[in-house]
Amino acid sequence: ANLMELKKTMKYVIRALLALVAIIATSILYIFYSIYSSYYQGVRSAESYKHAKSIAILLSEHYSTHSKYPRNIGDLNLKKPELNHIGKIIFDNQTGIIKMQIAGESLNEGVLMFFPKIKNNNELSYICHPLNIPIDYLPEECVAKKTDSNSSSQPTVYDVE
């Protein structure tokens, strides 16, 4: 009788240990997945910003030469990005606005917007404005900075040369 009870108890203990191991393994996988996803989203944001900045430089050169925006981005002889971190690129040839969607994000999430500002000498600067991107994933140049505690965050302005 004691041997049967011991076998039942051992079965229960083994099942409980297997369940515990499964829970721990699942938790570890979830942690690694979260870390990987965060890292990958940061890479995609940085690559999208880098590519958008190169577009802004080419747009600035085109605008300073022709005093207007090109009909489309294809007119800029733009190099295709090597990495697939960039989703859709939308360029408005009337306003000069660049909308860069980060790969894997929905239409209204994970978007970097770049608004042009025309200077007196036909040079452009762009204001970087992120849409629904956590601040941790933004390139430093695109993070709004507060000048004091009473002011609101303003988009970063960078000059393209």
Side-chain angles (χ1 to χ4, degrees):
N2 282 340
L3 188 57
M4 292 302 274
E5 283 182 29
L6 185 59
K7 281 184 179 181
K8 280 185 181 179
T9 304
M10 289 304 291
K11 274 186 178 178
Y12 175 75
V13 168
I14 290 173
R15 286 183 183 158
L17 285 174
L18 286 174
L20 183 62
V21 167
I23 291 170
I24 291 171
T26 303
S27 299
I28 290 171
L29 287 174
Y30 177 76
I31 290 168
F32 282 130
Y33 176 76
S34 296
I35 291 169
Y36 174 76
S37 293
S38 295
Y39 169 77
Y40 191 62
Q41 190 170 18
V43 168
R44 290 183 304 187
S45 296
E47 287 300 317
S48 295
Y49 175 81
K50 187 170 111 179
H51 190 62
K53 190 168 180 179
S54 68
I55 292 172
I57 290 169
L58 291 173
L59 284 172
S60 178
E61 291 170 358
H62 186 279
Y63 194 89
S64 68
T65 304
H66 304 286
S67 298
K68 65 179 183 176
Y69 297 111
R71 286 178 297 144
N72 59 54
I73 291 182
D75 293 347
L76 297 176
N77 296 323
L78 187 65
K79 294 178 185 173
K80 186 173 170 90
E82 295 176 18
L83 301 174
N84 294 326
H85 301 304
I86 299 164
K88 192 174 192 178
I89 301 170
I90 300 169
F91 170 66
D92 184 332
N93 65 359
Q94 299 298 310
T95 62
I97 295 172
I98 304 166
K99 184 176 182 181
M100 176 85 58
Q101 182 180 353
I102 298 171
E105 301 291 337
S106 67
L107 188 58
N108 293 321
E109 292 186 9
V111 174
L112 293 172
M113 299 282 293
F114 293 85
F115 298 94
K117 180 179 177 185
I118 302 170
K119 298 179 182 179
N120 293 337
N121 54 359
N122 262 3
E123 288 186 24
L124 295 177
S125 62
Y126 272 84
I127 299 169
C128 175
H129 182 73
L131 297 176
N132 299 320
I133 300 175
I135 196 166
D136 296 342
Y137 305 136
L138 288 174
E140 185 176 312
E141 299 90 345
C142 203
V143 176
K145 296 176 177 69
K146 289 186 178 181
T147 53
D148 62 45
S149 59
N150 295 330
S151 69
S152 62
S153 293
Q154 295 296 317
T156 301
V157 177
Y158 67 86
D159 292 330
V160 294
E161 299 172 355

